[in-house]
Amino acid sequence: MTQALKGVRILDFTHVQSGPTCTQLLAWFGADVIKVERPGVGDITRGQLQDVPNADSLYFTMLNHNKRSITLDTKNPKGKEVLTALMKTCDVLVENFGPGVLDRMGFPWETIQKINPKLIVASIKGFGPGPYEDCKVYENVAQCTGGAASTTGFRDGLPLVTGAQIGDSGTGLHLALGIVTALYHRTMSGKGQKVTAAMQDGVLNLSRVKLRDQQRLAHGPLKEYSQFGEGIPFGDAVPRAGNDSGGGQPGRILKCKGWDTDPNAYIYFITQAPVWEKICDVIGEPGWKTHPDYAKPAARLPRLNEIFARIEQWTMTKTKFEAMEILNKDDIPCGPILSMKELAEDQSLRATGTIVEVDHPTRGKYLSVGNPIKLSDSPTVVKRSPLLGEHTDEILKDVLGFNDNQVAEIHNSGAVSPPRKVEAAE
Ligand code: COA
């Protein structure tokens, strides 16, 4: 068994969440990911949301597994020399600096191409070319500008951002696909190219069904939205639709036994047309199988509130897991609302490596989300994130071939900071 990206070397200039998500995936697939960090400081997330004093935060550790860390001041002349040497030996440079940062560092695309024409340069920015291209962007800004927030939440409430990091991690995923595609292209063309993923574009891509509905609005009301059954007219933009299903099979979140004390005692219930008759039997409404108001999907659309209220009377008599078991026997699509606590304790997710326990020298054991993408011949082994500059000398010597004197010279120039040794950290 070999790792799929073994032999690929990544110059990882990423920070915070979006870029690190991308390079962590590449590392999990076997690429040698060299994370370049500012001397003494490192990725800002090392110190953000810290739960254990003097230990890298979970924010950092959970996004930087399987990487090596080198400190490098890229504004120091010696640091620039080291960076140039790294560019020559790497296959891909990945960055998510603010707009123009790489240029200001002295490394515009034209210069990089001269240094290494085979180097793929992959970037995440908040926006693509246009009026906002110079803006810095974080997760929630992307959710708001990419169409997710205006379509999330309840019709009569504020736009909402979602807990899933579709702007950061979502765009990191998009970029990873762009990188492996450019690597594949390079095997034939022999040339590197620029790969860019804008967070606004990534979020819009994930909100595609809402652009679909925007266009459907021109041809009449969106009949599967609850507001249709409630007789509330549609405006000129796609409204927020609460927990209505985003597809053609109506669905809702319904209360289950214990909902009055447990904030997660709910189930998502889909009234999929092919199993409608089974749903009628389960909830004790066999008459609905033939009744003209309920038998056909189109007849049900104006009555969704009434139908789901009746289904909820049934789900409230069961726990979410009991309901899941009964409904699944009849192939009725549904899913319990699982809390993070329940997911963290889920043994089947542990067994597949989707939730992993990782040991770390300064913080001890913690849980992380492992690689959600499984390759049959290239399994992922999750290794702890590096300490700041842990691999500086190793990279200077083994990757770049500098001798002891040259390494000492680089240290004396202030271009790197003394590596944080694992023994010292323990
Ligand atoms: N050595 C020396 N300087 C370094 C360095 C290093 N190793 N690494 C970074 N820097 C410098 C940069 O050169 C830059 O300096 P400059 O502004 O003088 O040119 C400076 O650090 C700040 O970089 P920047 O990326 O703008 O960081 P920021 O903290 O000000 O902004 C973001 C953070 C995330 C808002 C910004 O990077 C951004 O918009 N990124 C693109 C979108 C994105 O990925 N957002 C989501 C993040 S999860």
Side-chain angles (χ1 to χ4, degrees):
M1 285 189 293
T2 53
Q3 290 186 291
L5 291 182
K6 195 172 164 47
V8 174
R9 185 167 281 155
I10 311 283
L11 176 48
D12 181 11
F13 243 149
T14 68
H15 64 157
V16 201
Q17 184 183 166
S18 63
T21 302
C22 166
T23 51
Q24 176 167 265
L25 274 171
L26 301 174
W28 278 339
F29 289 133
D32 177 15
V33 175
I34 298 174
K35 184 167 173 107
V36 180
E37 298 184 80
R38 228 188 305 205
V41 190
D43 188 324
I44 193 168
T45 59
R46 284 187 185 268
Q48 283 180 332
L49 313 178
Q50 259 183 347
D51 55 333
V52 177
N54 302 319
D56 288 331
S57 70
L58 287 169
Y59 196 4
F60 177 84
T61 53
M62 291 175 74
L63 286 162
N64 290 285
H65 292 111
N66 297 54
K67 303 180 185 179
R68 299 200 271 176
S69 166
I70 178 174
T71 53
L72 202 60
D73 180 351
T74 57
K75 290 181 175 164
N76 171 307
K78 204 77 196 162
K80 282 189 199 295
E81 270 178 40
V82 174
L83 183 58
T84 305
L86 278 169
M87 285 181 184
K88 284 185 183 154
T89 177
C90 286
D91 300 288
V92 188
L93 184 162
V94 192
E95 61 95 15
N96 68 310
F97 290 128
V101 167
L102 212 50
D103 295 356
R104 289 199 293 278
M105 249 180 217
F107 295 96
W109 166 241
E110 298 71 29
T111 306
I112 294 175
Q113 269 193 310
K114 280 187 199 134
I115 294 169
N116 178 0
K118 289 182 78 179
L119 189 67
I120 291 159
V121 177
S123 304
I124 290 178
K125 297 289 166 251
F127 296 95
Y132 303 126
E133 64 187 300
D134 291 330
C135 300
K136 287 183 178 177
V137 167
Y138 283 106
E139 171 69 46
N140 288 347
V141 175
Q143 289 199 27
C144 291
T145 56
S150 69
T151 53
T152 303
F154 288 91
R155 187 172 30 78
D156 46 4
L158 286 177
L160 277 188
V161 294
T162 152
Q165 304 285 283
I166 56 177
D168 279 339
S169 290
T171 310
L173 270 163
H174 281 92
L175 192 73
L177 178 60
I179 289 170
V180 290
T181 305
L183 276 168
Y184 181 72
H185 180 258
R186 197 185 71 172
T187 59
M188 292 171 296
S189 70
K191 278 170 42 189
Q193 59 180 308
K194 275 200 279 188
V195 180
T196 316
M199 293 168 72
Q200 181 186 39
D201 302 9
V203 171
L204 182 56
N205 184 33
L206 298 176
S207 304
R208 172 176 298 258
V209 297
K210 298 297 177 180
L211 184 58
R212 172 201 69 196
D213 289 351
Q214 179 62 41
Q215 295 170 88
R216 289 174 61 225
L217 257 185
H219 303 283
L222 304 172
K223 292 185 179 168
E224 74 286 3
Y225 282 48
S226 337
Q227 100 175 56
F228 171 68
E230 291 160 11
I232 295 165
F234 285 80
D236 60 0
V238 173
R240 293 185 268 291
N243 293 315
D244 291 345
S245 155
Q249 309 287 349
R252 293 281 174 86
I253 289 184
L254 304 177
K255 291 172 184 163
C256 290
K257 200 193 231 170
W259 67 273
D260 38 356
T261 51
D262 176 356
N264 294 305
Y266 293 86
I267 194 164
Y268 201 92
F269 193 110
I270 298 178
T271 53
Q272 194 203 14
V275 290
W276 174 246
E277 296 199 350
K278 290 177 179 174
I279 293 171
C280 296
D281 286 335
V282 167
I283 63 169
E285 291 289 352
W288 282 4
K289 290 194 268 188
T290 48
H291 192 293
D293 284 351
Y294 305 95
K296 295 271 182 275
R300 293 196 286 274
L301 288 177
R303 299 177 178 79
L304 291 179
N305 281 2
E306 179 208 336
I307 289 169
F308 280 113
R310 176 66 190 91
I311 298 173
E312 192 171 58
Q313 278 176 6
W314 177 81
T315 56
M316 283 170 72
T317 65
K318 310 276 178 270
T319 68
K320 61 187 176 185
F321 296 114
E322 288 167 353
M324 172 89 173
E325 208 178 317
I326 295 166
L327 296 169
N328 266 303
K329 281 196 187 118
D330 278 332
D331 269 347
I332 299 166
C334 63
I337 307 304
L338 294 180
S339 69
M340 271 300 152
K341 181 170 184 295
E342 287 165 329
L343 288 164
E345 290 164 359
D346 187 312
Q347 290 310 307
S348 57
L349 292 176
R350 300 279 185 112
T352 58
T354 296
I355 300 244
V356 287
E357 190 176 72
V358 186
D359 206 357
H360 186 276
T362 57
R363 62 172 309 113
K365 289 191 167 48
Y366 66 94
L367 288 186
S368 193
V369 183
N371 193 346
I373 305 165
K374 321 289 185 195
L375 269 60
S376 62
D377 282 354
S378 309
T380 296
V381 178
V382 177
K383 295 187 195 143
R384 72 164 173 86
S385 58
L387 301 174
L388 178 60
E390 186 178 334
H391 306 98
T392 298
D393 287 1
E394 177 184 306
I395 291 163
L396 293 175
K397 288 179 188 169
D398 301 347
V399 176
L400 300 179
F402 291 126
N403 61 34
D404 288 343
N405 289 341
Q406 289 169 311
V407 171
E409 200 185 319
I410 293 164
H411 275 278
N412 291 338
S413 74
V416 299
S417 56
R420 184 138 188 235
K421 294 266 190 276
V422 174
E423 309 79 67
E426 281 165 337

